Amino acid sequence: MIAAAAHQACGLVGQCHRRPAQALPQAIPTGLQCRAICPASSQPGKRRAARHQTAREHHQAAAGRRRVAASAGVSKLPASSADKEALAAYLKVQNGSDVRGVAIDTKPSEPVTLTPSMMFFIGQAFAEWLSERKGKPLSALRVSIGRDPRLSSPLMLASMAAGLAATGVAVGRFGACTTPAMFMSCILPGHLYDGAVMITASHLPVNRNGAKFCTADGGLEKKDITTLLVRAAELATEAGQLPSDRFNDHAFVITAALEASNELSRVVDFLPEYAAYLRELMKESIAHPQHPDTPLTGLKIVVNPGNGGGAFIADQVLGPLGADVSASIHLEPDGSFPNHTPNPEDKAAVAATQRAVLESGADLGIMLDTDVDRSGVVDRAGNGINRNRYIALMAAITLRENPGETIVTDSCTSNGLATFIQQLGGKHFRYKKGYKNIINKGIELNQAGVPCPLMMETSGHGAMRENYFLDDGAYGALKIVIEQVRRRLEGQGDISELLAELREPEEAMEIRVAIRAADVRAEGERITAAFKEWVDAGCGGATHWRLEDENYEGWRLKVEEEGGKEGWILLRPSLHDPDIVLNVESEQAGGMRAILQHLLEFFKEHPEFEVCTGKVEDYVYAPLAA
């Protein structure tokens, strides 16, 4: 009521940054603003303070509604013998097909949601799931477990290893490792583990952690993770160690570990074997006529793992093959990530790699994320190659080896990329966001007789048919290194020349509309459905907006622009966050502003939506650069 009253005073009932003020100064565009609109405050500073206070009240009220809904939602949890609060706590750490949560309390506003005892019981649940899936008794199972360099990862690995061993499973503790390497521990002769676990939260902040699970058949699906978490909550309830009991959490895990047999857990130094496997693949692929064992001789490569787990690519793969990796940066594993987030999309990561390439005169730079399942590159001229450009480069390499076949991407790829793939003779299948979604679609297409060698997301996640459909950033980067050597042997130019025909947008961005409703998913579905109705009704009179022929996630529209150019906008609910995501591209300067300004008309027609369009308005109504 307080929030509603405050918004009523500003003409903003139900939404933040939404409805038009009745008496806006003429210099400010009327429409969907919450800037300078409170009649009670005439001075700019007071207007800003009033706006921020109103927004805070609205957000606090929304948070309160979500807390009430969460409490009420306990009764809607899956049928289980688990304590209801424990079950809710375990399900809270599900992130699609992964487990992720807050593992250390470095931020007062982000309380711990993933504890050592929770990892212990999740390990036990994975052992039971694996036993059922493989048709083997627990005592016959072997599971490998590795970790990234995060501050909490050693404790989380030990906790899950203790849970696995407590069931009678034999555990191989790999220590610092990578997600692709953990999968390969289920594949490589001499290992052939029944299942593998990687303790990681990918590129997320220092306080987060989690786990990824796989077998030789690939990563677990979302429904499998739900099954694990429900069972883990039941096991915790049976043991009397609930997530809310933080005082005894560590003691429980330590006691359980002491009771487990020492014979069930052993340390395995796996990364050197995995690196040797990658080296042999590269030597075989390059088949260098003069340097078969050191085919990268004469090549200078910068590797930037961002203090994550990818340094071995420099010192155990590329270096031994003859590459000069002396200019590589941020190789030391450090879970505090002191230089930048280990994320190939991170601007600081790209800038640091560009500087290192240019200053050292390197031929190539490679950027890796924390657990090395994503990558990006920098060419010798210092140009960052990620997102659409990275997919285009990988498509060019892949379609030369697999002409005429299909490339699967996520929903946010550019018009220029689709044209580029077609010009190469390939077919483009634009699907959904989520690396697991595109990998599964690629597997499905191959099984249906539609050859599909590459599945890649704009985030840098990518999988190849030739590499077990494994989400593997290092493998993609190494394919580019192989291409670099091939081109050099054939007297061709830099890899960047492969992108010469890629038409790139003048402007591109992702911007979000925050959902403030208690039921985020339902509100997201309601907004998406209403948007489709608005499109079917003529897009508010925008005859140059047309719905794309195929949509698998949200709704994507082509926007005709002057001079035969074309932009587009995609409206979709976020996979993981309480947002409506807007992906926008334009082939002309100022085009994105025009597209988003018209889109705001859609939200203006729906004051009942519980959303905040402030970020969009800030972009649309920002003063134009001189």
Side-chain angles (χ1 to χ4, degrees):
M1 294 299 295
I2 294 175
H7 278 71
Q8 182 68 54
C10 287
L12 293 173
V13 179
Q15 298 197 6
C16 173
H17 292 251
R18 268 285 287 108
R19 295 183 57 188
Q22 300 303 311
L24 286 174
Q26 292 300 310
I28 300 177
T30 58
L32 307 178
Q33 291 196 320
C34 183
R35 287 184 289 277
I37 58 176
C38 184
S41 304
S42 58
Q43 298 178 24
K46 291 182 179 180
R47 288 198 299 265
R48 284 194 298 271
R51 184 186 90 215
H52 293 161
Q53 178 64 30
T54 300
R56 278 196 301 272
E57 290 172 346
H58 180 76
H59 297 170
Q60 289 166 357
R65 288 195 299 274
R66 285 194 290 270
R67 284 193 294 271
V68 170
S71 176
V74 168
S75 62
K76 301 177 182 179
L77 295 170
S80 170
S81 60
D83 173 88
K84 290 184 178 180
E85 289 187 5
L87 182 57
Y90 274 88
L91 291 175
K92 185 177 181 180
V93 299
Q94 177 161 7
N95 184 61
S97 56
D98 301 335
V99 169
R100 288 185 185 173
V102 178
I104 49 178
D105 55 352
T106 57
K107 293 184 179 181
S109 61
E110 297 183 4
V112 169
T113 60
L114 185 62
T115 70
S117 75
M118 292 174 71
M119 294 294 268
F120 177 92
F121 291 117
I122 293 170
Q124 284 195 323
F126 180 53
E128 292 185 3
W129 178 90
L130 201 57
S131 174
E132 182 177 348
R133 177 61 61 94
K134 294 286 185 177
K136 292 182 177 181
L138 289 164
S139 59
L141 290 175
R142 298 168 62 250
V143 175
S144 59
I145 181 167
R147 63 170 178 83
D148 70 13
R150 290 173 180 277
L151 300 177
S152 60
S153 287
L155 177 58
M156 291 298 180
L157 183 148
S159 301
M160 184 167 287
L164 289 162
T167 67
V169 168
V171 182
R173 291 183 286 122
F174 285 19
C177 209
T178 71
T179 295
M182 295 312 303
F183 171 80
M184 291 306 297
S185 74
C186 301
I187 299 292
L188 291 185
H191 293 282
L192 300 177
Y193 285 89
D194 296 293
V197 186
M198 178 66 182
I199 305 299
T200 185
S202 191
H203 63 283
L204 292 183
V206 173
N207 64 336
R208 311 297 177 85
N209 217 326
K212 298 180 179 181
F213 303 84
C214 68
T215 68
D217 296 324
L220 271 63
E221 302 290 343
K222 180 179 179 180
K223 60 182 177 58
D224 299 321
I225 300 300
T226 302
T227 298
L228 294 190
L229 294 174
V230 171
R231 180 56 183 151
E234 293 172 350
L235 291 166
T237 300
E238 293 169 9
Q241 182 56 48
L242 304 182
S244 57
D245 183 7
R246 300 297 167 81
F247 294 107
N248 293 310
D249 197 277
H250 290 58
F252 175 86
V253 174
I254 293 170
T255 302
L258 291 171
E259 293 174 350
S261 170
N262 292 334
E263 296 177 357
L264 291 176
S265 179
R266 68 185 184 95
V267 174
V268 178
D269 192 13
F270 182 73
L271 263 187
E273 293 186 54
Y274 176 58
Y277 163 76
L278 293 176
R279 291 197 303 270
E280 290 305 312
L281 285 181
M282 294 192 73
K283 287 192 285 187
E284 181 180 339
S285 297
I286 295 171
H288 200 291
Q290 286 84 40
H291 308 288
D293 292 326
T294 55
L296 305 187
T297 298
L299 204 62
K300 190 167 190 175
I301 303 174
V302 168
V303 177
N304 177 11
N307 302 109
F312 81 102
I313 294 295
D315 57 33
Q316 297 187 49
V317 179
L318 301 177
L321 290 177
D324 178 355
V325 294
S326 60
S328 295
I329 58 176
H330 313 327
L331 296 177
E332 185 67 26
D334 186 339
S336 67
F337 306 139
N339 294 291
H340 55 70
T341 302
N343 179 353
E345 289 186 279
D346 183 77
K347 291 181 180 178
V350 176
T353 311
Q354 290 171 321
R355 284 194 302 272
V357 167
L358 292 174
E359 290 173 2
S360 66
D363 299 289
L364 185 71
I366 296 173
M367 301 169 286
L368 301 166
D369 80 338
T370 314
D371 58 326
V372 198
D373 61 359
R374 292 197 298 148
S375 59
V377 298
V378 171
D379 68 20
R380 66 171 56 156
N383 299 308
I385 300 178
N386 52 19
R387 300 190 63 79
N388 286 289
R389 303 188 80 226
Y390 196 24
I391 298 175
L393 180 56
M394 289 298 297
I397 295 170
T398 304
L399 289 172
R400 181 176 58 79
E401 300 170 349
N402 304 274
E405 297 193 358
T406 297
I407 309 297
V408 177
T409 73
D410 63 330
S411 58
C412 302
T413 49
S414 67
N415 293 331
L417 177 64
T419 301
F420 181 80
I421 291 172
Q422 291 163 5
Q423 289 173 340
L424 292 172
K427 303 176 184 67
H428 180 211
F429 192 112
R430 190 174 60 237
Y431 194 47
K432 300 178 181 179
K433 287 290 287 183
Y435 73 91
K436 192 67 175 166
N437 288 330
I438 61 170
I439 291 173
N440 285 346
K441 176 54 69 173
I443 293 172
E444 176 189 320
L445 289 173
N446 277 286
Q447 290 174 343
V450 179
C452 174
L454 175 68
M455 301 118 265
M456 202 159 183
E457 198 181 29
T458 46
S459 66
H461 283 289
M464 301 190 73
R465 181 180 58 205
E466 67 184 53
N467 189 38
Y468 305 96
F469 296 98
L470 170 61
D471 179 33
D472 190 344
Y475 192 88
L478 296 180
K479 287 284 289 187
I480 292 171
V481 173
I482 292 169
E483 178 68 13
Q484 183 89 319
V485 176
R486 186 192 69 80
R487 293 178 66 81
R488 175 172 291 191
L489 289 171
E490 296 180 3
Q492 298 175 320
D494 187 57
I495 55 164
S496 59
E497 294 182 6
L498 291 171
L499 301 177
E501 300 302 316
L502 175 64
R503 188 178 84 250
E504 301 193 61
E506 181 73 21
E507 301 174 337
M509 75 183 305
E510 177 178 289
I511 194 166
R512 296 182 175 231
V513 172
I515 298 175
R516 302 303 186 192
D519 191 335
V520 171
R521 176 176 294 182
E523 187 73 350
E525 292 174 351
R526 185 164 70 124
I527 293 167
T528 306
F531 181 67
K532 178 60 163 55
E533 292 175 0
W534 183 76
V535 170
D536 290 343
C539 300
T543 57
H544 59 299
W545 286 36
R546 302 190 321 277
L547 190 67
E548 291 272 11
D549 293 335
E550 292 185 343
N551 284 277
Y552 296 95
E553 175 182 46
W555 301 103
R556 176 165 164 156
L557 288 86
K558 297 179 181 178
V559 180
E560 295 177 3
E561 298 179 327
E562 295 178 1
K565 296 181 179 180
E566 184 178 84
W568 59 270
I569 182 167
L570 169 66
L571 181 149
R572 61 184 176 87
S574 171
L575 290 176
H576 307 301
D577 300 314
D579 297 319
I580 290 292
V581 183
L582 305 174
N583 295 96
V584 194
E585 285 192 6
S586 173
E587 293 182 350
Q588 65 182 26
M592 285 199 315
R593 186 186 295 259
I595 291 170
L596 289 170
Q597 185 168 15
H598 185 66
L599 178 75
L600 286 174
E601 295 300 314
F602 161 68
F603 286 100
K604 185 176 179 180
E605 292 179 15
H606 291 278
E608 73 278 9
F609 290 162
E610 294 185 73
V611 299
C612 179
T613 59
K615 289 182 179 179
V616 181
E617 295 171 51
D618 287 342
Y619 175 80
V620 168
Y621 298 119
L624 293 172

